[in-house]
Amino acid sequence: MSLIRRKNVPESSEAEIVDAEDDKKSKVPERKNRQWSCLDTCCWMVGCICVVWWLLLFSYNAMPASFPQFVTEAITGPLPDPPGVKVLKEGLKVKHPVVFVPGIVTAGLELWEGKDCTDGLFRKRLWGGTFGEVYKRPLCWMEHMILDNETGLDPPGVRVRPVTGLVAADYFAPGYFVWAVLIGNLARLGYEEKNMYMASYDWRLSFQNTEVRDQTLSRIKSNIELMVATSGGKKAVIIPHSMGVLYFLHFMKWVEAPAPMGGGGGPNWCAKHLKAVMNIGGPFLGVPKSVPGLFSAEVRDIAIIRAVAPGILDKDLFRFHMMLQHVMKVTRTWDSTMSMIPKGGDTIWGGLDWSPEEGYSPGKRDQNNNGTETPDNSEDENLISDAKHAHYGRIISFGKEAAIAAAAELKRIDFRDAVKGRNVANSSCRDVWTEYHDMGFGGINAVAEYKVYTADEILELLQFVAPKMMARGSAHFSYGIAENLDDPKYDHYKYWSNPLETKLPNAPDMEIFTLYGVGIPTERAYVYGLTNSAECAIPFQIDTSAHCADSCLAGGVYTVDGDETVPTLSAGYMCAKGWRGKTRFNPSGIKTYVREYDHAPPATLLEGRGTQSGAHVDIMGNFALIEDVLRVAAGATGEELGGDQIYSDILKWADRIKLDL
Amino acid sequence: MLSFELKGKFGSAMGSLASVMRFLRSCFMEHVKVSSLLRFKSNEASEKKKVVKATDSDRKDDHDGVLSSDGKVTEKVEKGRQNKRERSRACKCINSCCWLIGCMCTTSWLLLVFLAYIIHASMPAVQLPEFPGARMKREGVVANHPVVLVPGIITGGLELWEGKPCAAPLFRKRLWGGWGSGCTNIFRSPLCWTEHLSLDYETGLDPPGIRVRPVPGLIAADYFAPGYFVWAVLIENLAQIGYEDRNMYMAAYDWRLSFQNTEVRDRSLSRLKAQIEIMYATNGDKKVVVLPHSMGAVYFLHFLKWVEAPAPMGGGGGPGWCAKHIKAVVNIGPTYLGVPKAFSTLLSAEGKDISIIRAMASGLLESELFGLQTVEHVMRVSRTWDSIISLLPKGGEAVWGNLDWSPEEGYECGLEKKRHFQADSRENNSKSSEENSSLQVNHPKKYGRVISFGQEASQVHSSKLPTFSKDFMHTSISTNLNASHGKFRTEFDEMSHESFDKIVEKKVYTTTDLVDLLRYVAPKMMRRAEAHYSHGIAENLEDPKYNHHKYWSNPLETKLPDAPDMEIYCLYGVGLPTERSYVYKMSPSSDKRKGIPFRIDNSVDGSDDCLKAGIYFVDGDETVPVLSSGFMCAKGWKGKTRFNPSGSATYIREYRHKPPASLFEGRGLESSGHVDIMGNLAMIEDVLRVAAGATGPEMGGDQIHSDLLKMCDRVNVPL
């Protein structure tokens, strides 16, 4: 084109340029022009995009490394020093070796042996990282993430193993940190691989099975011993997060127990090797969230999706039909989810008409904090009086009426002996078989007729709807409260991860911290309804239409104070009361400290997930928490940190719980 | 080429990004107009002009609307036209550029997709042989003994834990190995990179303010670079018979440090000990099979002594530790007696590869391309790495030969190739061997002269060499400080011309002389390193001085631990030309002040394959000569010797090199190159069998292709 034009330009004056163009156009055959307009435009577009993309890439690469920080500072003013720098300036440096214990879900799993469909995935991450495989071959992925329904171990021909080293849980997905910020700050004090250890384990297994299959507990023991020995006898600081808290509780009992079942470390192992256990967001007494997870494979997030776009989850979207059933089928084989069923029954979590959190009003504390608005007094009172009606003890209620009604008005029909009735299972459901298909309509109706389930009854409910799963799980976990801790039956490992059925080790110099976020609504109780859709579907689901005047009940979920996942009660009770001083659960009088961090959402987008967040995972980037951890790692005691730091009503709630100590 | 063009374009475009964007926008408008114009083409000719003019004024309006909001149409016609013309030309240019790039991109994508499809479709036709792991699993071989992998020099990854501001975003990213995100940084600021990789010249430890640490875990050395496997193939095969993280451990260590310093700084030896103990305990008291590669073999030898030595210097494991915990040490391409390559690296920072680059493009390395003095930097950095000293040839003239004598003499370089031809064309054996023997007499190579100045000096009889005392090496060096090179200084800069001349006058150096020479030219480095390594032969192993850790990595100055049931394997490749000695020359005088006074004389070529580009070759695996990897297993430790008092059994398994048959095999399934051997199927099978419990005799004992035994007989070390 350009050639032709050049030829034409000399003979045409400036004014005739249009004619020149005309001539050219008339000379060029019609078909070619059409090509330019379609195919070439495509090429032109692609070229443009490529060029812009390259330019951006080039400028990104040429950009000095400090540029993002510079921009952030220009917009938000100078950032506070990261805690690592701050503490380093005070002259603190590396002292005690540090062990991280990641929680459920956050640690990576990689493939060591698989079926044919996993070609090329050897030693690639199936869990964590980019999750590319989930989209490419979901059913294959599913098949490898699932465990054996009977044993809770690997299905035959599949070996999926935890990733080892700090990379196991530093980032969950690219850009989504879990431990990375903490590791970075510890490194500023001089920490490195030799005095930091990530105790990664397969979080799908029951705790004792990680030892049976992978010898994970033995490795942790040996690594702690090694690090203590190579850092000149300085005891280790353990930092478990989320379910890692329970895992490490299990470890402390295991390591001192005699050899065949335990680690054979002898009665003083913990006293000799551990300086402090700094539990971050620990679900000591379980999380109510795990109940709907097991019961109907849904939590608030999924329930919200259902409310916003009903039908999406039930459709054959992405050729991945019956997603929820698949999720349920997989998660029910993971023993670890059962470690987080609420523990302590009605004593801790409340009965039909009382609960430790009653009277909690989420709006109140927020307004106190903000102090900007002064709402109508009458409305405030309304809130409180409404909140008094919230029966958090009823973890599952069928229908909103049942959730609100007074205890005396409830008409309940016992489900335990109900005949399960006709089997609804048919051949079309076979590939997503869940235990619900063994239950007839009778059983399902019986469950719904009982109306309300408290923490104790939840266990019976789960046993009723999923007997096989609970049989497998109850061999590894227990949810009760010990009458007499000296009973020899408590030597069995299934009690080790329940703080209400074990004694802490004999280590009076050890310190136990519990660090968690508060100020975020956290799931506590659910309103359920029956589904009447497809035959293969899960028969129950959260009733997202259930709302209350107060914000406690929204979308069928009652919320209390917590860190979005773990209610304050579960994270704080043991350290605030159960282990405080010398109790029967803490015979040697290990000192305990409660450190709460009030949630403040990130001020700007540039802050990412915030440096003052209190959310369950985001708290790992909370500067105040990191500073506390660094100080303890550098040798500070709980007293030097400033003892307890409490924002929530945990002490009041703990007093309402009537538990022999 | 393309990328170069693009980069140029980027450079010019960067400055005016905003204007380009404006252009693009207006171009887009123009473009739309043009395409809309085209629709009128089919109209009648008489109407054409009118219509076009109408649209033209429309267009002007449009322009003015875009560029100046308050423009008056009539006034600005002329200006607008001129503007438009310029702009339209620029637009056309940019348009066609974009179009071109777009075309190329789309065609290359299409090609890629197409090719991928074709290759995928035709893949079954090019069936690769099955991995030994999968086959053996079917035969019922399962994981038995826990396995420890000990990587060698260079192949292990290093990551940054603390650095200067220039490396701030690289925290916990790889500086070495992997070559992922750290790679861009190397090109962005190479000086920053070399600064972080070098160690302190005095202590051989971290420079202040910098902490670079080995990557832990299997990822440390599974792939050296994306697609370039080191351990990955072996790991996959081990996994196929049931290995996983709990019974497989990568003993990653910082390969830049001296062996004892890895313990002092990182506790690497203690960790290795603890890991072996825990794997032994958790796998039902099964002893461990150790797989060291390359320098890892020497490192593990050090470990064997360290672990049994008493506590302050050693690991305090007690005298029975090795016997209790270790089933077999399966060395892959071990560098037991060192490699001659280490001399050329330390003296002039060049091996075969660099000297070939120099021969092909002689100006490339000298010219201060990219503002760098590449070779000088390599030398400066690598001289701070103590571990390289551990690779210097050990045993002196008794092992490596002197002026007139060497164990390899009579080695025929063309032989390997001929053997290949034999195998292919099935020639008569006796005939060709006669030929070989006739060839052999011609040039008895004097491999003992590891470095000679000038080709002549490397060949003449020793009596014709100038007699020259080594005394000059003991005189103090006249200093010749040159301020201009203060930053990139190597110790050569402290020496005067006279001393260079003296060095060259001596003409010929054997291994013993070379160690002296190194002490002369780099006294500080050798003082630092010789606190950690020794390269001699022990007279009397009972001498208490041999309890010092500096002797532990030299097989000729230590006794093996008391572990009669432990087996030692030497697995290595043969059939590749391997550097053995060098012909040197002075650097051109203009370059002398630039740091390195000597270099390999790459103009020297011999009549046969043995001498090429200034380097004499012998049999080996391209890096380690057969003598170094095989001697200890073939002779030094065979039976009960003074180096092996408890009589641990030793086995030699050699693998003859076969280049990859087709491109699909990548680096070859029967290759025996120093690193490529990790993908050699025969070797993998042997390793798996040992790991699954086989003993040496079950594997078939020794398997020797080279002239190793003959060479060993010539070596005169009292056993």
Side-chain angles (χ1 to χ4, degrees), chain A residues 434-460:
Chain A
T434 59
E435 283 191 75
Y436 279 123
H437 304 128
D438 280 349
M439 270 173 71
F441 294 117
I444 290 168
N445 285 330
V447 166
E449 287 300 317
Y450 194 62
K451 297 283 187 208
V452 165
Y453 296 85
T454 62
D456 277 338
E457 288 155 351
I458 286 285
L459 289 176
E460 289 169 20

Side-chain angles (χ1 to χ4, degrees), chain B residues 300-317:
Chain B
F300 196 74
L301 198 65
H302 186 95
F303 173 81
L304 287 180
K305 292 300 287 184
W306 173 87
V307 74
E308 298 201 340
M313 196 187 280

Side-chain angles (χ1 to χ4, degrees), chain A residues 297-482:
Chain A
E298 57 187 353
V299 280
R300 196 176 49 180
D301 322 322
I302 286 181
I304 284 175
I305 294 178
R306 179 170 283 154
V308 173
I312 263 199
L313 289 174
D314 306 323
K315 290 231 176 83
D316 288 2
L317 197 68
F318 309 122
R319 284 178 297 151
F320 182 42
H321 66 297
M322 294 176 286
M323 187 172 89
L324 277 187
Q325 286 87 324
H326 278 289
V327 170
M328 176 174 234
K329 184 181 158 209
V330 173
T331 51
R332 278 204 176 174
T333 65
W334 295 348
D335 283 340
S336 60
T337 52
M338 280 179 274
S339 71
M340 304 213 282
I341 293 175
K343 289 164 192 163
D346 293 1
T347 317
I348 302 288
W349 295 95
L352 283 181
D353 45 12
W354 80 277
S355 69
E357 290 108 331
E358 63 189 355
Y360 165 72
S361 154
K364 210 173 94 186
R365 219 168 54 82
D366 272 2
Q367 281 150 18
N368 285 351
N369 283 349
N370 292 344
T372 48
E373 271 184 65
T374 48
D376 272 359
N377 272 345
S378 60
E379 204 181 296
D380 209 12
E381 274 165 24
N382 262 345
L383 273 173
I384 292 168
S385 59
D386 258 0
K388 271 183 184 151
H389 287 298
H391 298 292
Y392 294 118
R394 306 173 184 181
I395 294 184
I396 287 184
S397 339
F398 279 90
K400 194 178 154 194
E401 294 78 30
I404 300 174
E409 294 164 15
L410 280 171
K411 282 181 194 151
R412 304 161 80 192
I413 303 167
D414 202 357
F415 65 95
R416 280 154 215 158
D417 302 321
V419 184
K420 288 189 176 175
R422 190 172 64 83
N423 195 343
V424 296
N426 59 20
S427 55
S428 68
C429 301
R430 192 156 290 158
D431 57 332
V432 284
W433 183 89
T434 59
E435 283 191 75
Y436 279 123
H437 304 128
D438 280 349
M439 270 173 71
F441 294 117
I444 290 168
N445 285 330
V447 166
E449 287 300 317
Y450 194 62
K451 297 283 187 208
V452 165
Y453 296 85
T454 62
D456 277 338
E457 288 155 351
I458 286 285
L459 289 176
E460 289 169 20
L461 172 67
L462 286 173
Q463 251 145 24
F464 182 73
V465 300
K468 279 189 200 152
M469 173 188 80
M470 288 305 281
R472 201 183 66 227
S474 59
H476 290 284
F477 300 108
S478 168
Y479 313 103
I481 298 176

Side-chain angles (χ1 to χ4, degrees), chain B residues 92-145:
Chain B
K92 288 246 165 64
C93 181
I94 288 170
N95 265 346
S96 50
C97 274
C98 284
W99 178 83
L100 200 73
I101 293 167
C103 270
M104 282 193 287
C105 283
T106 20
T107 42
S108 60
W109 286 333
L110 285 175
L111 266 175
L112 269 179
V113 171
F114 190 61
L115 275 180
Y117 178 73
I118 287 195
I119 287 174
H120 197 258
S122 63
M123 255 330 232
V126 205
Q127 268 291 338
L128 289 179
E130 195 180 18
F131 270 150
R135 197 187 70 234
M136 290 166 78
K137 189 189 175 195
R138 255 183 283 119
E139 290 167 12
V141 177
V142 287
N144 190 0
H145 297 277

Side-chain angles (χ1 to χ4, degrees), chain B residues 576 655-658 660 667-673 676-677 680:
Chain B
L576 285 168
Y655 305 92
R656 180 175 298 290
H657 178 71
K658 248 192 211 167
R667 286 154 66 200
L669 304 167
E670 293 171 88
S671 171
S672 67
D676 294 351
I677 198 174
N680 185 312

Side-chain angles (χ1 to χ4, degrees), chain A residues 18-19 36 40 43-44 47 54 61 113 122-123 159 161 170 187 190-194 215 218-219, chain B residues 10 28 31 49 52 95 98-99 102 137 172 188 211 213 216 222 239 242-246 265 271:
Chain A
V18 182
D19 301 35
W36 164 248
D40 295 52
C43 282
W44 178 81
W54 284 330
N61 273 323
E113 185 184 337
F122 174 68
R123 285 185 57 225
R159 281 187 292 151
R161 295 288 178 267
D170 54 351
Y191 280 90
E192 53 196 63
E193 294 278 354
K194 73 174 169 187
Q215 286 86 43
S218 302
R219 283 151 160 267
Chain B
F10 287 162
F28 189 70
H31 192 75
K49 215 167 190 173
V52 167
N95 265 346
C98 284
W99 178 83
K137 189 189 175 195
R172 283 187 61 224
R188 212 187 292 170
R211 281 187 293 149
R213 296 287 178 266
D222 55 351
Y243 282 94
E244 56 197 48
D245 262 323
R246 74 190 164 96
R265 198 192 70 181
R271 282 154 159 261

Side-chain angles (χ1 to χ4, degrees), chain B residues 389-640:
Chain B
I389 313 289
S390 78
L391 295 175
L392 289 184
K394 290 160 194 162
E397 296 180 4
V399 172
W400 293 95
N402 58 20
L403 293 181
D404 294 319
W405 166 91
S406 72
E408 287 107 332
E409 64 187 354
Y411 166 70
E412 184 55 51
C413 306
L415 209 61
E416 289 308 325
K417 271 189 186 166
K418 275 179 191 137
R419 273 190 194 152
H420 270 296
F421 286 128
Q422 268 173 28
D424 293 343
S425 61
R426 305 190 191 287
E427 257 187 306
N428 191 344
N429 266 347
S430 57
K431 194 178 162 190
S432 59
S433 65
E434 268 170 35
E435 274 176 16
N436 287 341
S437 54
S438 63
L439 272 172
Q440 217 163 296
V441 202
N442 291 348
H443 290 288
K445 304 284 182 308
K446 302 200 187 314
Y447 292 115
R449 306 173 183 181
V450 178
I451 285 182
S452 340
F453 283 91
Q455 185 181 11
E456 209 183 329
S458 74
Q459 288 169 348
V460 294
H461 191 265
S462 61
S463 59
K464 289 178 194 155
L465 286 169
T467 49
F468 198 84
S469 74
K470 292 200 286 184
D471 288 345
F472 73 90
M473 292 187 188
H474 303 294
T475 57
S476 65
I477 296 166
S478 51
T479 51
N480 178 23
L481 281 175
N482 191 332
S484 69
H485 291 94
K487 202 176 167 196
F488 312 134
R489 206 154 52 87
T490 59
E491 284 192 71
F492 278 132
D493 297 325
E494 293 173 15
M495 294 173 61
S496 66
H497 281 286
E498 294 74 49
S499 30
F500 292 148
D501 293 339
K502 273 184 194 157
I503 289 169
V504 176
E505 270 171 44
K506 180 160 160 24
K507 291 286 183 201
V508 172
Y509 293 86
T510 64
T511 46
T512 323
D513 298 336
L514 275 171
V515 175
D516 288 335
L517 178 65
L518 281 176
R519 283 189 198 122
Y520 177 64
V521 300
K524 278 191 208 148
M525 172 186 77
M526 289 305 278
R527 217 176 298 132
R528 186 190 76 225
E530 291 200 315
H532 291 285
Y533 299 109
S534 164
H535 300 96
I537 300 179
E539 291 292 311
N540 173 17
L541 280 164
E542 305 302 328
D543 193 328
K545 79 168 181 176
Y546 287 116
N547 290 333
H548 190 270
H549 66 76
K550 76 177 194 176
Y551 300 104
W552 290 346
S553 61
N554 182 355
L556 297 173
E557 289 179 304
T558 43
K559 290 187 277 190
L560 284 182
D562 180 24
D565 294 336
M566 190 173 85
E567 296 171 310
I568 298 178
Y569 295 81
C570 290
L571 282 56
Y572 54 90
V574 295
L576 285 168
T578 308
E579 297 171 45
R580 175 65 169 84
S581 51
Y582 302 88
V583 179
Y584 262 71
K585 66 175 180 192
M586 287 285 267
S587 304
S589 54
S590 61
D591 293 343
K592 242 175 229 169
R593 291 196 167 264
K594 278 200 207 147
I596 302 174
F598 317 112
R599 64 177 47 168
I600 294 174
D601 186 357
N602 45 43
S603 63
V604 177
D605 275 315
S607 53
D608 54 14
D609 289 345
C610 277
L611 176 60
K612 257 188 192 167
I615 302 171
Y616 282 99
F617 293 101
V618 293
D619 201 4
D621 67 0
E622 208 157 19
T623 299
V624 189
V626 171
L627 187 70
S628 174
S629 35
F631 176 76
M632 290 317 289
C633 284
K635 188 141 181 248
W637 289 330
K638 201 85 181 184
K640 270 196 187 179

Side-chain angles (χ1 to χ4, degrees), chain B residues 276-462:
Chain B
I276 291 180
E277 282 168 355
I278 177 91
M279 289 207 295
Y280 173 77
T282 55
N283 286 285
D285 291 356
K286 297 237 179 62
K287 292 188 200 174
V288 172
V289 171
V290 186
L291 304 173
H293 173 233
S294 183
M295 191 179 80
V298 195
Y299 186 72
F300 196 74
L301 198 65
H302 186 95
F303 173 81
L304 287 180
K305 292 300 287 184
W306 173 87
V307 74
E308 298 201 340
M313 196 187 280
W321 196 93
C322 294
K324 189 181 163 201
H325 291 96
I326 295 175
K327 173 195 188 286
V329 184
V330 185
N331 301 294
I332 303 171
T335 57
Y336 273 134
L337 299 180
V339 285
K341 218 177 187 172
F343 279 130
S344 69
T345 310
L346 287 172
L347 265 183
S348 61
E350 55 188 355
K352 190 178 59 177
D353 323 320
I354 284 183
S355 83
I356 283 176
I357 293 177
R358 181 168 280 158
M360 290 200 309
S362 47
L364 194 66
L365 289 175
E366 279 84 358
S367 66
E368 303 202 353
L369 193 66
F370 314 119
L372 292 176
Q373 297 157 294
T374 318
V375 179
E376 284 76 4
H377 277 290
V378 170
M379 178 156 176
R380 192 174 54 87
V381 173
S382 61
R383 276 199 178 178
T384 65
W385 296 345
D386 280 339
S387 58
I388 289 188
I389 313 289
S390 78
L391 295 175
L392 289 184
K394 290 160 194 162
E397 296 180 4
V399 172
W400 293 95
N402 58 20
L403 293 181
D404 294 319
W405 166 91
S406 72
E408 287 107 332
E409 64 187 354
Y411 166 70
E412 184 55 51
C413 306
L415 209 61
E416 289 308 325
K417 271 189 186 166
K418 275 179 191 137
R419 273 190 194 152
H420 270 296
F421 286 128
Q422 268 173 28
D424 293 343
S425 61
R426 305 190 191 287
E427 257 187 306
N428 191 344
N429 266 347
S430 57
K431 194 178 162 190
S432 59
S433 65
E434 268 170 35
E435 274 176 16
N436 287 341
S437 54
S438 63
L439 272 172
Q440 217 163 296
V441 202
N442 291 348
H443 290 288
K445 304 284 182 308
K446 302 200 187 314
Y447 292 115
R449 306 173 183 181
V450 178
I451 285 182
S452 340
F453 283 91
Q455 185 181 11
E456 209 183 329
S458 74
Q459 288 169 348
V460 294
H461 191 265
S462 61

